[in-house]
Amino acid sequence: MTRMPGAARCARALLLLLGVSGLVGAGRLAVAAAGFESGALGGPVLAGLLLAAAACGATAVTALAVAARFAEGGGRVRRAAVAVGWVSAVAGTAAGLAHHGAWGAGSAAGALLVGLAGGEPARQWFDRGRLSPPCPAGG
């Protein structure tokens, strides 16, 4: 298999989307934490905002790193993509229930990523044999 199947390309695009939107979300949470007025419960709320920003940023960076490694692949890259999908699905569901239903979009994107990266076309792409690098002398 020399060409990435459509399911794997869609999974890569979803990883890029989750990575960029995660960085934007982490930035928004950090800005909210910076402008937070501390009161009686200021410390725990500020800590929660900063913790959420750190988790969101870490997931975003992981999604972008996995998307960058998609072309060379391997089983570890596919499993990492599935893990990012599960984290996004669970976090999106929790945020949708706790705050607003619009956060459920992350849940849907994560579930779709799990389905695409865990499917048979993606498995075939990542389990394919690697081509040897070309000989530098040309022969």
Side-chain angles (χ1 to χ4, degrees):
M1 179 178 291
T2 59
R3 184 171 178 186
M4 190 183 300
R9 281 183 287 178
C10 289
R12 186 179 194 180
L14 269 174
L15 280 168
L16 290 171
L17 177 71
L18 285 171
V20 170
S21 64
L23 288 176
V24 169
R28 290 187 66 185
L29 285 167
V31 167
F36 186 71
E37 297 281 333
S38 62
L41 295 176
V45 172
L46 183 62
L49 284 171
L50 291 175
L51 182 64
C56 193
T59 304
V61 169
T62 302
L64 292 173
V66 170
R69 301 277 319 250
F70 238 59
E72 58 222 38
R76 293 174 70 192
V77 175
R78 187 186 61 78
R79 286 189 298 274
V82 171
V84 167
W86 274 110
V87 167
S88 298
V90 170
T93 301
L97 292 173
H99 186 263
H100 192 274
W103 287 98
S107 176
L112 184 59
L113 179 60
V114 168
L116 289 172
E120 189 59 34
R123 286 179 194 264
Q124 289 175 0
W125 169 255
F126 287 113
D127 293 339
R128 74 191 190 286
R130 302 288 172 249
L131 298 175
S132 59
C135 182

